[in-house]
Amino acid sequence: MNKTHAHYLPPLYQDSPEHGRLILRDGSTATIRFIQPQDQDATQKFFERLSPESRWLRFFSLAKPDPKLILSMCNPTDPAAQTTLVVTRVVGGELQIIAVATYWGQKDKTAEVGLAVDDLFQGKGIGTLLLERLALLAVRNGFLQFTATTHASNHPMLEVFRRSGFPIQEEREGSYVLLKFSVQPTESSVERSETVDRIFTTASLLPVFQPKSIAVVGASRDPSSIGYRILEELIRNRYQGPVYPVNPKARVIGSIHAYPSVKSLPEPVDLAVITVPLPAVMSVVDDCAANGVRALIVITAGFAELGGSGSELQKQLLDKVRGYGMRMVGPNCMGVLNTDPNVQMNASFSPIFPPAGTVAMSSQSGALGITILDFARQRDLGLSTFISVGNKADVSGNDLLQYWEEDPKTDVVLLYLESFGNPRRFARLARRVSRSKPIIAVKSGRTLAGKRAAGSHTAAMAASDIAVEALFNQTGVIRAQSLEEMFDLAAMLGNQPLPKGRRVGVITNAGGPGILCTDSCEANGLTVPELSKRTQVSLRKFLPAAASVSNPVDMIASAPPEHYRKTIECVLNADEVDALIVIYIPVMNTELGPVRSAIAEGIAATRKKNGANKPVLACLMSDKEGSGTLQVENEKIPAYRFPEAPAMVLGKAAGYAEWRKEPPGIIPDFEDIDPKTARKICETALKERGPGWLTAQECRDVLKTMFLPLPQGDVAKTAEQAAEAAAKVGYPVALKLASHELIHKTEIGGVRLNLKNAEEVREAFNEIRKRLEVSGKVQAVEGVIVQPMISDGIELMVGATEDPSFGPLIAFGLGGIHVEVLGDVCFRVNPLTDKDAARMVRQIRGFKLLQGYRGHPAADLEAIENLLLRISRLVDDVPEITELDLNPVFALPPGQGCMIADTRIKVGWV
């Protein structure tokens, strides 16, 4: 394994580089797609519209391009010979091609590339985006290098190539420059692509979150209407910009002059909030485009949430919006809020405007929106922005992650998710964003009515929620089990530093809550260590003899406020404590006010000493003010009603802090693998037999291409061949039924172990065959696999299965019969990094066995991780593999590697 050259992920839009949305440098959008034969006239017109200078720089001639060239470009049938992408946008009311990019295949896996961008759209980053997309498509079709020739005076195009992130070689020939560069993704090119995508996406969402002016289309004088409520909320919360009500039947709404249409507004507006009836939405979008509106919030329902014709209508809406270059929130959403005093925008029908803060939130459910905002206000949780994404036709959670990553007023991101649009893109974005800003997510739809029928252990255990859990685990996303837990976590992460360790000090005035908190700390992976003698001596100076000072510190029920102040100073300053939980229960009818003040004073005093960077959480078990926050000078201390909550919060915060401190993982490259041959084997099997399981020999051949550890052995079709194979590998041997139709060998007596000579081998072969003849299954048999016995080692399993939303999932756990009995298996979403593989090995409950247990030798952990990474690469490079099971895999002692004893691989059409 070579860790110096990482197998880097391609850019964020790898799933469809040839189709979909482009976000340009100015924040507007366009559509990219493959060229089609019917585009010939539009392409000809595009080149005719180019200025003479642009045409000369592109073709080195002022003449219009040869129609034969255009005819050739409009032929998408042979991507190995030529591929052309076009970018479209509505210009002057007409959908036009505004950019063209082509590569022409040459010899030695090299292609020549050419780009042209409409003069009106130059300088908006289209050339850079097209080059990235074209490079991805070229790699898919087997090309390794691009060449391009341009005039030396064509500085914009030269800059596109030089800033692409690809290593460029330039040769000057007179007034022309010949460029050559590899199109294989590199760390530099991927970083460049992600940076461009983030900057452009952020710019596109500025008119959504920070509009300079807003039109409410469908504003009404009826107080019960959505249009009235949105207009009222914008005005009542003092939006810092002009608001234009639009209603064709009213001259004045709420004492504000109204306009009959968006086209009649006196100036262009950044944002239009659309609340009109469904039949009017399309024409309103046309009017918005005519006015120069940059973004839309479509509150109106009746689209994809209804399915059928609603889904088709939403597609038409999206095509129209993108054709005009606008962004859109919704449809079927509640709206958008921004608490920044410079914006002060409630562009929603929520009557609740939360306090300003540093927590941003996206909700996929509009119905929950008002409840969520009300709960945030009750908990005194300040929000920076809130958005209800509705049907997510355009603006998605992935877009929002990039915006909030760049937003200086956002420190924590909350997500209420019902589905993932593009899980792989989410994974790449979340992994990056989580490095600087915590992401807390609630994902609904956790349960399954039942497990789907599957032919492998891996597929049977993998469920959609397992994929979500794996995705969050890999990307640092903190999963909350409920909305309440989400706000509990946000209150801490938005107001307190991350813990530097898992050692927690607990202060209480009642033993019961202290014990409950301690138990919860232990259950959440925290420790409640005994306090040092020095700390205990300090506490004994003022606490009564009946008090417990070991940890938790029980000051007893009669503890006055002053004891809270002094105890906090002692414990929070202690070196043996990384975080502090302060519990108060009013057992003596003491007023909460003095205790709150004493807690605040103790924390404030300690912040100036050793406890400056330690998180503090409170549990105020009082009917009044039990939850919310406790103000301490310039910080807020989260307060919870019950003692288990702060322990849960600290446990998840500590796990996140550890994840964030670890260096990012890499996807290693391997110099000894041949995935192309593996894919050919799978493709051949599909062509010959259709979807299904590979034969035993095909499985072995596939694993060999990835240099995976297989025992010596052969497939034998007769008893005599089995005896000959056994003599080659050496006794004792194992015989295993080889069949791509009969999957569970042991259930039909298809496994014989520890055979010591040729006679036993022949006898075992014949017994297996007789069993199959009796059951009528002999036709499904390829023979038997003859392998040497592997007597040592710990039985493991490694697998992969295809999730329809998340792609391949990789599984790891204890193997053999332990798979069904214990279910000690963990999953990750592919591709795996080296860090993912290491965590998987250490996550299973049986990891103690791999470390060495009660005299048994430890396992070769490095070899197991290497195996996981090679399987990850296999299923990533061979998409035809839909299920894979290696079970058992024998983990041998350190330095001896591991050995795959049995393999099943299922293939299907891509």
Side-chain angles (χ1 to χ4, degrees):
M1 181 172 62
N2 179 9
K3 288 195 177 185
T4 58
H5 296 90
H7 179 62
Y8 293 102
L9 292 171
L12 295 176
Y13 33 69
Q14 70 150 17
D15 297 326
S16 56
E18 70 282 4
H19 177 76
R21 179 194 67 195
L22 281 184
I23 301 178
L24 312 186
R25 180 176 284 118
D26 63 357
S28 66
T29 65
T31 300
I32 186 172
R33 59 174 175 81
F34 280 131
I35 203 166
Q36 298 298 318
Q38 57 267 33
D39 291 320
Q40 187 175 347
D41 289 342
T43 306
Q44 182 75 46
K45 291 178 181 178
F46 162 75
F47 286 120
E48 290 175 354
R49 285 197 310 273
L50 290 178
S51 66
E53 180 184 9
S54 294
R55 201 178 305 135
W56 183 76
L57 290 173
R58 171 64 183 85
F59 297 104
F60 313 129
S61 169
L62 294 178
K64 298 174 184 177
D66 188 335
K68 292 182 180 179
L69 173 63
I70 293 178
L71 180 63
S72 170
M73 292 170 63
C74 292
N75 181 2
T77 57
D78 187 2
Q82 174 186 287
T83 290
T84 300
L85 294 172
V86 294
V87 179
T88 62
R89 175 88 165 256
V90 173
V91 181
E94 177 188 356
L95 186 65
Q96 296 180 355
I97 292 175
I98 62 170
V100 175
T102 304
Y103 71 68
W104 295 271
Q106 299 176 330
K107 58 183 179 180
D108 300 327
K109 297 183 179 180
T110 297
E112 181 182 1
V113 63
L115 307 170
V117 179
D118 191 301
D119 292 73
L120 290 174
F121 290 89
Q122 292 179 8
K124 297 183 184 293
I126 294 178
T128 298
L129 296 172
L130 276 173
L131 183 61
E132 292 171 356
R133 302 286 183 107
L134 212 55
L136 279 175
L137 293 171
V139 170
R140 284 187 183 180
N141 289 300
F143 294 101
L144 301 177
Q145 180 177 253
F146 270 174
T147 65
T149 303
T150 188
H151 200 274
S153 64
N154 193 354
H155 300 296
M157 190 54 64
L158 285 170
E159 198 63 17
V160 166
F161 288 110
R162 290 167 180 165
R163 298 181 62 185
S164 65
F166 297 110
I168 304 290
Q169 299 178 20
E170 297 184 24
E171 296 179 14
R172 186 75 176 260
E173 295 182 1
S175 58
Y176 299 99
V177 179
L178 175 65
L179 304 104
K180 295 180 181 179
F181 56 96
S182 167
V183 291
Q184 294 289 331
T186 65
E187 183 176 17
S188 176
S189 68
V190 170
E191 183 178 352
R192 164 70 179 166
S193 173
E194 292 183 344
T195 299
V196 167
D197 191 55
R198 182 170 69 251
I199 292 172
F200 289 10
T201 299
T202 299
S204 76
L205 294 181
L206 286 176
V208 172
F209 287 109
Q210 303 177 43
K212 299 293 190 299
S213 54
I214 300 175
V216 180
V217 189
S220 171
R221 290 177 291 190
D222 178 2
S224 65
S225 70
I226 296 294
Y228 179 94
R229 290 169 61 183
I230 291 175
L231 180 63
E232 181 183 45
E233 293 304 324
L234 283 166
I235 297 168
R236 187 164 66 87
N237 291 288
R238 301 183 304 282
Y239 165 64
Q240 299 297 298
V243 179
Y244 297 99
V246 176
N247 187 318
K249 299 179 181 179
R251 292 184 58 253
V252 176
I253 298 177
S255 301
I256 301 176
H257 177 66
Y259 297 85
S261 71
V262 179
K263 289 193 293 185
S264 64
L265 297 180
E267 64 175 347
V269 295
D270 279 350
L271 176 66
V273 184
I274 299 176
T275 69
V276 299
L278 183 63
V281 170
M282 295 298 187
S283 62
V284 167
V285 173
D286 292 332
D287 289 351
C288 288
N291 177 270
V293 172
R294 300 172 62 196
L296 309 174
I297 299 175
V298 181
I299 308 292
T300 307
F303 291 91
E305 75 276 9
L306 301 180
S309 60
S311 297
E312 178 58 31
L313 190 62
Q314 181 166 301
K315 181 182 182 300
Q316 295 173 19
L317 172 64
L318 181 60
D319 288 345
K320 183 180 285 287
V321 169
R322 287 185 174 173
Y324 286 130
M326 297 185 286
R327 297 307 310 265
M328 175 178 66
V329 178
N332 184 35
C333 70
M334 190 187 81
V336 178
L337 295 87
N338 187 341
T339 65
D340 182 349
N342 295 318
V343 181
Q344 204 74 17
M345 177 185 73
N346 184 359
S348 78
F349 52 83
S350 168
I352 299 164
F353 195 69
T358 60
V359 177
M361 182 171 184
S362 165
S363 174
Q364 197 168 336
S365 169
L368 281 173
I370 296 176
T371 301
I372 288 170
L373 292 171
D374 186 40
F375 194 53
R377 186 173 63 178
Q378 291 177 29
R379 295 294 301 271
D380 193 27
L381 183 68
L383 299 183
S384 58
T385 49
F386 173 88
I387 180 170
S388 161
V389 293
N391 293 359
K392 299 191 302 182
D394 179 38
V395 174
S396 67
N398 292 337
D399 294 325
L400 297 170
L401 283 180
Q402 297 194 86
Y403 176 83
W404 285 325
E405 182 182 15
E406 295 293 303
D407 181 18
K409 295 187 179 298
T410 295
D411 294 332
V412 179
V413 174
L414 308 184
L415 303 174
Y416 171 74
L417 303 168
E418 294 176 353
S419 64
F420 289 92
N422 187 333
R424 284 201 165 196
R425 186 173 181 228
F426 176 88
R428 291 191 290 274
L429 291 172
R431 197 192 299 265
R432 187 183 74 218
V433 175
S434 292
R435 290 284 167 191
S436 57
K437 298 182 180 184
I439 301 171
I440 308 168
V442 171
K443 172 65 175 68
S444 62
R446 297 176 60 90
T447 60
L448 290 176
K451 294 179 179 178
R452 67 182 176 90
S456 72
H457 299 303
T458 306
M461 290 181 294
S464 59
D465 193 63
I466 288 176
V468 173
E469 195 70 36
L471 180 69
F472 288 169
N473 191 300
Q474 288 170 264
T475 58
V477 174
I478 305 167
R479 185 169 194 177
Q481 305 303 318
S482 64
L483 289 170
E484 183 174 9
E485 187 174 299
M486 170 189 278
F487 283 102
D488 285 346
L489 287 160
M492 183 265 166
L493 293 168
N495 294 299
Q496 292 292 297
L498 291 172
K500 294 183 178 179
R502 291 182 172 268
R503 303 169 303 169
V504 181
V506 179
I507 296 172
T508 180
N509 68 333
I515 294 171
L516 285 171
C517 185
T518 300
D519 289 345
S520 186
C521 284
E522 296 286 347
N524 284 281
L526 303 168
T527 62
V528 183
E530 185 174 355
L531 297 176
S532 67
K533 295 297 182 183
R534 178 180 177 182
T535 304
Q536 291 189 36
V537 168
S538 297
L539 291 169
R540 283 291 180 206
K541 291 179 179 179
F542 59 88
L543 291 179
S548 172
V549 295
S550 60
N551 197 18
V553 178
D554 183 359
M555 302 178 296
I556 71 172
S558 59
E562 180 68 10
H563 282 183
Y564 268 96
R565 182 183 66 79
K566 290 183 177 181
T567 303
I568 288 170
E569 289 188 46
C570 283
V571 179
L572 191 54
N573 265 318
D575 292 333
E576 62 268 25
V577 167
D578 300 308
L580 180 65
I581 297 174
V582 182
I583 303 172
Y584 169 73
I585 183 169
V587 293
M588 300 293 289
N589 294 322
T590 306
E591 291 186 8
L592 181 58
V595 175
R596 288 173 66 99
S597 298
I599 293 172
E601 290 168 7
I603 295 170
T606 314
R607 288 305 194 206
K608 300 169 185 175
K609 301 176 184 177
N610 192 38
N613 294 315
K614 297 179 182 180
V616 180
L617 283 69
C619 172
L620 306 177
M621 301 179 69
S622 170
D623 290 339
K624 299 178 180 179
E625 305 180 72
S627 60
T629 56
L630 193 158
Q631 191 69 41
V632 178
E633 295 185 349
N634 294 325
E635 72 172 302
K636 291 180 177 180
I637 305 299
Y640 304 91
R641 287 293 301 275
F642 299 106
E644 296 89 348
M648 176 278 299
V649 167
L650 276 178
K652 292 196 173 184
Y656 168 66
E658 290 167 355
W659 180 90
R660 204 158 101 164
K661 282 190 293 187
E662 289 184 357
I666 65 166
I667 300 174
D669 202 0
F670 298 92
E671 297 176 349
D672 55 359
I673 62 175
D674 183 13
K676 289 184 178 179
T677 297
R679 188 169 189 183
K680 286 181 182 177
I681 295 169
C682 296
E683 288 175 337
T684 300
L686 274 169
K687 289 177 183 177
E688 292 178 352
R689 302 190 301 273
W693 299 93
L694 297 185
T695 66
Q697 189 60 54
E698 287 168 342
C699 287
R700 289 181 63 85
D701 291 343
V702 166
L703 296 189
K704 286 177 181 178
T705 67
M706 303 305 290
F707 208 71
L708 287 162
L710 288 169
Q712 188 181 1
D714 285 307
V715 177
K717 297 183 178 181
T718 66
E720 215 40 59
Q721 287 180 1
E724 292 173 4
K728 287 181 183 178
V729 301
Y731 293 101
V733 299
L735 258 63
K736 298 179 183 178
L737 178 67
S739 172
H740 61 278
E741 295 182 24
L742 305 176
I743 303 304
H744 300 290
K745 304 177 181 68
T746 55
E747 294 178 6
I748 55 175
V751 178
R752 293 289 191 277
L753 303 176
N754 207 32
L755 306 176
K756 299 181 179 63
N757 53 55
E759 187 59 34
E760 289 186 5
V761 169
R762 294 187 188 96
E763 184 178 339
F765 182 96
N766 291 328
E767 285 180 359
I768 292 173
R769 185 169 183 85
K770 285 179 182 177
R771 278 179 173 268
L772 294 170
E773 288 174 347
V774 170
S775 63
K777 298 177 180 178
V778 71
Q779 299 301 321
V781 177
E782 304 154 19
V784 297
I785 302 173
V786 183
Q787 293 177 340
M789 285 294 299
I790 305 172
S791 56
D792 297 325
I794 301 165
E795 290 188 46
L796 304 173
M797 67 84 62
V798 174
T801 185
E802 183 76 16
D803 183 277
S805 298
F806 292 81
L809 303 180
I810 306 297
F812 171 75
L814 293 180
I817 62 170
H818 298 102
V819 176
E820 290 108 340
V821 176
L822 300 179
D824 188 13
V825 178
C826 66
F827 287 81
R828 291 293 186 275
V829 177
N830 212 47
L832 300 182
T833 67
D834 55 346
K835 298 294 182 185
D836 293 329
R839 290 193 195 99
M840 289 180 77
V841 172
R842 288 155 183 80
Q843 182 180 330
I844 62 171
R845 296 188 300 277
F847 178 60
K848 286 184 179 179
L849 293 174
L850 303 180
Q851 291 178 298
Y853 188 72
R854 294 192 175 182
H856 291 278
D860 193 332
L861 300 182
E862 184 176 348
I864 298 170
E865 293 168 18
N866 185 279
L867 173 62
L868 283 167
L869 292 168
R870 287 175 182 268
I871 290 297
S872 169
R873 182 67 185 274
L874 171 65
V875 298
D876 211 35
D877 286 352
V878 187
E880 288 78 9
I881 295 177
T882 58
E883 289 183 31
L884 176 149
D885 255 12
L886 311 181
N887 182 28
V889 175
F890 287 94
L892 305 174
Q896 297 183 33
C898 54
M899 193 64 65
I900 301 168
D902 202 358
T903 305
R904 288 177 290 185
I905 299 176
K906 191 175 186 179
V907 294
W909 300 114
V910 178

